[in-house]
Amino acid sequence: MLVIATSIYGFVNASNVGPAFNSLSCSLAVFTDDLLNGAVTTNQSSFFVGLSTFSSNLTDLNTNLNTISTNMNDLKASGSGTSDAAVTNVQAVEGNIKLIPDNAGTGLMTLTYNTPINSAAPGGTLASTFINKLGKWDTSGTLVYNLYTAVVYARAMMKGIKDSAVSFDGQIATINSQVGTMQTTINNLITNVKDMDSGLSTYLSYLNYPGSYGNLGMQGFYGFLILFSFFALLGTLLTVCCDKAGCRHLMYLSCIFLFLGALFAFIVAVLFSIFVPIFTWTCQYLNTTVSSAANFQSKPIFIQPTSVPF
Amino acid sequence: MSNTTLDQISVCMPYGDGIIVNKVAGTAAAGINNLTSVISSLKNFNNATLQSYITGNLTALYSACKSYANGDISDLDTTNNNILAGLSDPTNTTGNAGCNAAFSSDSWVPSNNQDSSYSTAISCKVSNGNSGALSNCDNTFATVGGSTCQGCMDSTQLLTYASSGANLVTKLDSRYTAACAFNPLLGNVWDNYYTIKYTNLGFPTAKVQVVGTVMYRVQQLIPTINDTTVATSVFKSLNDFRSVLDTINTNLAAVNSLTDPTYGMLAGLNCKLFG
């Protein structure tokens, strides 16, 4: 009964074995493939064309740099052009915003009353509570500051794009001279990544069998235990309750098979005690490795040359 | 794996910035990154979003200035606000001594549209259904048009008719008799509060603003920001800039595989794939 109960539990959960192996192998293989051939970034906001495409398109890029630059003449222009006028116009409005409180752009609004306000000879003064709410262009959190900052941000966006166009234009000669070197660097990187991919595939090939047949094997084993446990129980019941002495042979036969199954389970448990920690440590190792630059570029002690002191 | 390779693909890790160009392009990295930035802007520069951001802040500025200029929100301390509250009550014995019957029909409140979310809001103390504002009262507080100038009297609007505290008292004397204790009190309020507000912050929006006030500068500023028929306005400038980018994008169609801001190579150089 106990064997039947535990075997049923094992039969039901055996479906997790194969996918676990496949998930680990897939994650490792996908990264190298994405790096070489491109994919959408993890945050889904952009994409990577892949090292292979980047290398092959560099020649096209080099050929068309001047065409691209020519089409950006308006962005590169200073003192003329639509984009330059746009930036200048927005900057002028910024100056007007500064003038809102005091018409000089330097201080807060002047708004001080005489108090008490119903007196013919008031003895005191009272500043309006609106002065500090209105604020000025450089006082954070005030109405004038918020509007000024918003307009400045818009101008900065436009100016930043213009500056990038100008900077790119100044770098065309450098890009032209560096294309060959870039392609060599990228091709070397592609070679190294493919070597890493090849090494990984050898390691991952060991995961194919448990990944593909893990579920079937485990379910078959638990099914075997359930079947012969049932036979043993049936033989016992028929012998004791129905007084069928001959059915004790069914019980004997079932016990032989259950003994062989237990022996097999012992061997499998020994093998899993070797494999499972390795896979667990592999996942943990990967998590730690990719968590920071220092971790990624360090090498674990157990794979350093023995001549390197710890 | 060599340290060079590790360093090159480190930018693609979860902690990296994804900019692989910086690792493989050498001295050309800056130029390619600048080009990538421009190409990215062809798609990402959103003039509508920027205009919406500016509009929110412009609206907040103008709404606040209007509320305070109109008297909808009090900018006084508790003591002086209570003075205005007392003056709004025709049953208040401080002000109603010697006043005629017409006085009991009026309640002089800072504004007939006060913001009730503020505890400083002063309610109208009469309920005859009438109100007085620039639209139905002339400069002697007599009725203009079909709506009787009486009841809830909008002080911020109506006191713009006065040229001085003494001038206001003269007008009130005609309405409530010269013996009315309220008249000189409101005249003092004009001298100590309203005229200072009109001169610096500006008139209520029912009246044309004068040069030199905050309200005037704000009203002059608004079309220079959001009026797209004004050639030099901020919104027009943002639209024009967007048009420049659209033209560039169209002209680069011949090299689309490189420059398309959505699918081109230069838009696809972020290698942050692992995580």
Side-chain angles (χ1 to χ4, degrees):
Chain A
M1 293 289 288
L2 182 63
V3 174
I4 291 175
T6 54
S7 296
I8 290 173
Y9 179 80
F11 184 88
V12 170
N13 286 283
S15 60
N16 294 330
V17 174
F21 286 107
N22 287 336
S23 177
L24 172 61
S25 61
C26 276
S27 298
L28 293 172
V30 160
F31 172 66
T32 52
D33 179 73
D34 289 350
L35 200 56
L36 292 170
N37 300 311
V40 177
T41 56
T42 50
N43 64 3
Q44 309 289 308
S45 66
S46 55
F47 74 101
F48 184 51
V49 292
L51 292 172
S52 302
T53 303
F54 187 25
S55 176
S56 65
N57 281 358
L58 275 176
T59 305
D60 280 344
L61 177 64
N62 200 34
T63 304
N64 289 287
L65 281 174
N66 286 322
T67 301
I68 296 170
S69 179
T70 301
N71 278 292
M72 295 185 184
N73 280 343
D74 191 288
L75 288 179
K76 295 181 298 181
S78 176
S80 64
T82 303
S83 61
D84 192 74
V87 172
T88 302
N89 293 339
V90 173
Q91 190 163 20
V93 173
E94 291 171 20
N96 291 334
I97 295 173
K98 287 183 175 182
L99 300 178
I100 292 294
D102 66 348
N103 207 28
T106 55
L108 297 169
M109 172 178 63
T110 301
L111 190 57
T112 302
Y113 308 120
N114 301 315
T115 182
I117 58 174
N118 63 344
S119 172
T125 57
L126 173 70
S128 165
T129 58
F130 187 50
I131 295 173
N132 290 327
K133 288 183 181 176
L134 183 68
K136 54 189 178 81
W137 68 275
D138 57 355
T139 303
S140 176
T142 62
L143 293 166
V144 173
Y145 172 88
N146 291 341
L147 177 61
Y148 178 79
T149 302
V151 175
V152 166
Y153 177 74
R155 178 172 62 85
M157 291 284 285
M158 294 190 288
K159 185 70 165 57
I161 294 168
K162 287 180 63 68
D163 288 345
S164 291
V166 170
S167 295
F168 156 67
D169 192 56
Q171 290 282 329
I172 288 179
T174 303
I175 296 173
N176 277 328
S177 68
Q178 288 288 317
V179 164
T181 304
M182 266 192 278
Q183 285 178 312
T184 300
T185 304
I186 295 170
N187 290 336
N188 286 339
L189 180 57
I190 290 173
T191 301
N192 288 331
V193 173
K194 283 182 176 175
D195 286 344
M196 180 175 76
D197 189 45
S198 174
L200 270 175
S201 70
T202 303
Y203 171 72
L204 295 176
S205 67
Y206 294 113
L207 299 178
N208 280 345
Y209 285 108
S212 303
Y213 303 108
N215 281 358
L216 187 64
M218 294 303 294
Q219 289 176 335
F221 174 71
Y222 283 114
F224 169 87
L225 290 180
I226 292 171
L227 178 67
F228 284 98
S229 297
F230 174 74
F231 285 154
L233 186 61
L234 179 65
T236 304
L237 288 174
L238 290 174
T239 303
V240 173
C241 300
C242 302
D243 203 22
K244 299 289 182 185
C247 292
R248 69 184 185 282
H249 298 294
L250 178 63
M251 188 174 62
Y252 298 153
L253 183 67
S254 301
C255 286
I256 292 171
F257 280 103
L258 285 175
F259 172 77
L260 293 174
L263 187 61
F264 176 75
F266 174 75
I267 296 170
V268 169
V270 170
L271 289 174
F272 267 70
S273 68
I274 298 171
F275 283 121
V276 170
I278 291 175
F279 296 143
T280 303
W281 291 335
T282 300
C283 291
Q284 290 179 344
Y285 175 74
L286 287 174
N287 273 338
T288 303
T289 300
V290 301
S291 64
S292 72
N295 290 345
F296 187 72
Q297 298 191 24
S298 67
K299 289 183 178 160
I301 290 176
F302 66 84
I303 63 172
Q304 286 178 345
T306 54
S307 61
V308 176
F310 288 164
Chain B
M1 192 179 299
S2 69
N3 284 337
T4 302
T5 303
L6 286 175
D7 184 53
Q8 287 169 341
I9 64 175
S10 65
V11 294
C12 306
M13 292 293 116
Y15 57 82
D17 60 12
I19 306 176
I20 196 166
V21 166
N22 289 342
K23 295 294 183 180
V24 302
T27 56
I32 294 180
N33 283 332
N34 283 321
L35 177 58
T36 301
S37 173
V38 177
I39 296 300
S40 175
S41 71
L42 297 183
K43 181 179 76 167
N44 295 332
F45 182 82
N46 192 323
N47 52 326
T49 299
L50 291 171
Q51 289 165 350
S52 174
Y53 176 45
I54 293 171
T55 296
N57 287 291
L58 180 62
T59 301
L61 171 68
Y62 180 66
S63 295
C65 289
K66 189 174 78 166
S67 293
Y68 280 90
N70 287 347
D72 298 340
I73 301 175
S74 172
D75 61 342
L76 296 171
D77 61 0
T78 304
T79 300
N80 287 283
N81 203 58
N82 288 340
I83 291 173
L84 291 182
L87 289 173
S88 73
D89 186 358
T91 66
N92 188 319
T93 55
T94 302
N96 67 3
C99 303
N100 61 9
F103 181 75
S104 62
S105 300
D106 291 340
S107 173
W108 289 81
V109 291
S111 159
N112 281 330
N113 293 293
Q114 288 180 72
D115 190 333
S116 58
S117 66
Y118 285 80
S119 61
T120 52
I122 298 171
S123 60
C124 180
K125 306 303 189 295
V126 297
S127 56
N128 51 35
N130 295 318
S131 62
L134 291 174
S135 58
N136 66 325
C137 304
D138 67 11
N139 61 359
T140 63
F141 307 138
T143 298
V144 174
S147 177
T148 306
C149 178
Q150 185 193 57
C152 303
M153 306 294 276
D154 191 313
S155 303
T156 304
Q157 289 193 28
L158 292 175
L159 268 55
T160 60
Y161 280 135
S163 57
S164 66
N167 178 254
L168 176 61
V169 171
T170 302
K171 296 176 190 297
L172 294 172
D173 286 347
S174 299
R175 190 175 177 88
Y176 304 130
T177 74
C180 184
F182 172 83
N183 303 349
L185 293 175
L186 193 61
N188 292 336
V189 172
W190 191 98
D191 286 327
N192 296 320
Y193 178 62
Y194 282 108
T195 187
I196 297 172
K197 177 185 273 193
Y198 297 152
T199 303
N200 293 285
L201 179 54
F203 288 132
T205 50
K207 194 174 171 69
V208 175
Q209 303 297 329
V210 295
V211 176
T213 64
V214 169
M215 282 299 292
Y216 178 81
R217 291 193 286 274
V218 171
Q219 287 185 343
Q220 294 297 306
L221 176 73
I222 290 173
T224 68
I225 290 178
N226 65 4
D227 190 344
T228 55
T229 65
V230 175
T232 57
S233 75
V234 171
F235 284 11
K236 178 69 163 59
S237 299
L238 289 171
N239 290 344
D240 288 346
F241 194 87
R242 179 66 250 174
S243 296
V244 169
L245 299 183
D246 289 339
T247 301
I248 293 172
N249 197 23
T250 300
N251 291 342
L252 289 177
V255 288
N256 232 17
S257 62
L258 295 172
T259 60
D260 186 281
T262 303
Y263 304 110
M265 184 200 82
L266 288 167
L269 294 179
N270 185 334
C271 71
K272 208 163 178 179
L273 307 166
F274 193 63

